[in-house]
Amino acid sequence: MTPAGKVFWLNTVLLVAIFMLFVASLVWGESHLMVAETIHDMLAGHRSAGVIIVEQLRLPRAVLALVVGGVLGLAGAALQGYLRNPLADPGILGVSGGAAWGAVCVFYTGLMQVSVVALPLGGLVGALCAVVLLMGLVGRGGTLVLLLAGAALSSFAAALTALVLNLVPSPYASYEIMHWLMGSLTDRTFTHVLVCLPGAVCGALLMFSVARALDALTLGEDVATSLGFSLWGARGVQTRLVLGAALAVGSCVAVSGAIGFVGLVVPHVLRPLTGYQPSRLLLPSFLGGSVLLLAADMVVRLVPTGPELHLGVLTALIGAPVFFARVVMLKRSEP
């Protein structure tokens, strides 16, 4: 089978898995629902308990799991292709840290009491500030400048977040901040979906637009330039990729909190199945990220752990062993 055929069947399998997990996430939960009765009530316009549970609790949570997981997987694949480094992930840009700082400031200032959208909007503002600062630092610099700027921005955002945590006068506010930083989709509504979706869609389209350039970059920056791809400038590959990843990831982190390892694990696992071609890895990584986060969100909802396990904690528990296994495999393959 050709690599293109393998990618087609891989995408088909992932789409089927997304459909099954999405439906399952609407049906299964702490409250048992009569599926046929709930569907009948929805079609008839009846506001039964089952319809309210699905529309106001489970559906927005499932939509966010699909979008956030897909964006994180796509951003990881795109950044790994551009930097030619399989260990690159969305957090390398510092945008996740900027979103976390913006959300923490909302807690600190008490704006949480003003509106339910204050927290995601604060995270989004923090992410956008990080984007502006990152683009200003990088300018026309290459991949090394991008890596250094991202590392510096991540450290600066982490320091600011720690400073705010240190100055928070209320233990309750500190608890809420830590709760958000661990990542979760609990109690999210369609308001959060509307805050997240525009940036996620625009950012994803920008990342998909550089697919062919990522293939050319596997041969080196000089070859990519000779093939007609502009790497820098206002419409360059780096600008579109960084802006797209930052916008999409920042929008998602603003509503979900910090969820790690998705952008690392998903492209790493799927890369051998796509023929090691960066452009072919983008869509499977989006779909694979959605599958992973939908499945992980179902686990945290259904596993009886007392207080609900945070989604970011579970993805870290999944991701770390995958890389331990990869280290062991690499060690065994060495002569």
Side-chain angles (χ1 to χ4, degrees):
M1 185 181 295
T2 63
K6 291 181 180 179
V7 173
F8 172 79
W9 285 110
L10 175 62
N11 289 336
T12 302
V13 170
L14 291 173
L15 281 171
V16 171
I18 287 175
F19 176 77
M20 295 175 63
L21 287 168
F22 192 89
V23 173
S25 66
L26 299 181
V27 175
W28 291 343
E30 293 182 2
S31 301
H32 178 69
L33 299 180
M34 301 297 294
V35 179
E37 182 179 338
T38 301
I39 293 175
H40 177 269
D41 289 341
M42 291 179 69
L43 294 177
H46 297 159
R47 302 300 294 171
S48 64
V51 172
I52 293 173
I53 289 173
V54 170
E55 289 184 351
Q56 297 187 11
L57 296 177
R58 296 183 183 176
L59 184 57
R61 185 167 180 165
V63 171
L64 281 176
L66 190 154
V67 173
V68 173
V71 161
L72 293 176
L74 171 62
L79 289 170
Q80 289 172 19
Y82 178 70
L83 298 173
R84 281 91 77 193
N85 185 342
L87 296 180
D89 80 318
I92 201 171
L93 298 178
V95 179
S96 298
W101 172 71
V104 166
C105 287
V106 171
F107 281 111
Y108 179 71
T109 56
L111 292 175
M112 273 287 293
Q113 310 300 323
V114 176
S115 171
V116 69
V117 299
L119 180 59
L121 287 179
L124 188 57
V125 169
L128 292 176
C129 290
V131 171
V132 172
L133 185 56
L134 179 68
M135 298 304 295
L137 288 172
V138 174
R140 296 180 61 86
T143 56
L144 179 59
V145 175
L146 176 62
L147 286 171
L148 291 175
L153 190 56
S154 295
S155 299
F156 184 58
L160 290 177
T161 302
L163 176 63
V164 175
L165 273 169
N166 187 201
L167 297 177
V168 168
S170 169
Y172 175 76
S174 298
Y175 171 79
E176 288 296 317
I177 290 172
M178 295 306 300
H179 177 84
W180 187 87
L181 288 175
M182 287 189 285
S184 176
L185 297 178
T186 305
D187 299 328
R188 301 308 191 264
T189 66
F190 275 111
T191 300
H192 296 89
V193 175
L194 292 176
V195 170
C196 167
L197 206 55
V201 172
C202 293
L205 291 176
L206 283 172
M207 287 186 280
F208 277 119
S209 73
V210 301
R212 292 181 57 202
L214 296 180
D215 290 341
L217 279 168
T218 59
L219 303 175
E221 294 182 358
D222 293 337
V223 174
T225 303
S226 67
L227 292 174
F229 294 105
S230 174
L231 301 184
W232 302 285
R235 297 185 180 180
V237 174
Q238 179 171 276
T239 302
R240 282 183 287 158
L241 175 60
V242 172
L243 185 60
L247 184 60
V249 172
S251 299
C252 291
V253 172
V255 299
S256 68
I259 298 176
F261 279 97
V262 177
L264 273 174
V265 171
V266 172
H268 205 73
V269 171
L270 296 179
R271 186 173 287 106
L273 305 176
T274 60
Y276 294 93
Q277 188 170 339
S279 63
R280 289 177 178 162
L281 182 61
L282 297 184
L283 182 56
S285 293
F286 181 92
L287 300 176
S290 297
V291 168
L292 176 58
L293 217 58
L294 280 167
D297 189 53
M298 286 188 63
V299 170
V300 300
R301 286 166 48 194
L302 299 177
V303 173
T305 57
E308 184 176 296
L309 185 66
H310 281 74
L311 195 55
V313 175
L314 181 61
T315 56
L317 290 174
I318 294 172
V322 170
F323 279 92
F324 280 128
R326 182 61 177 167
V327 169
V328 173
M329 291 173 60
L330 288 174
K331 186 176 180 182
R332 289 178 178 176
S333 65
E334 292 180 353

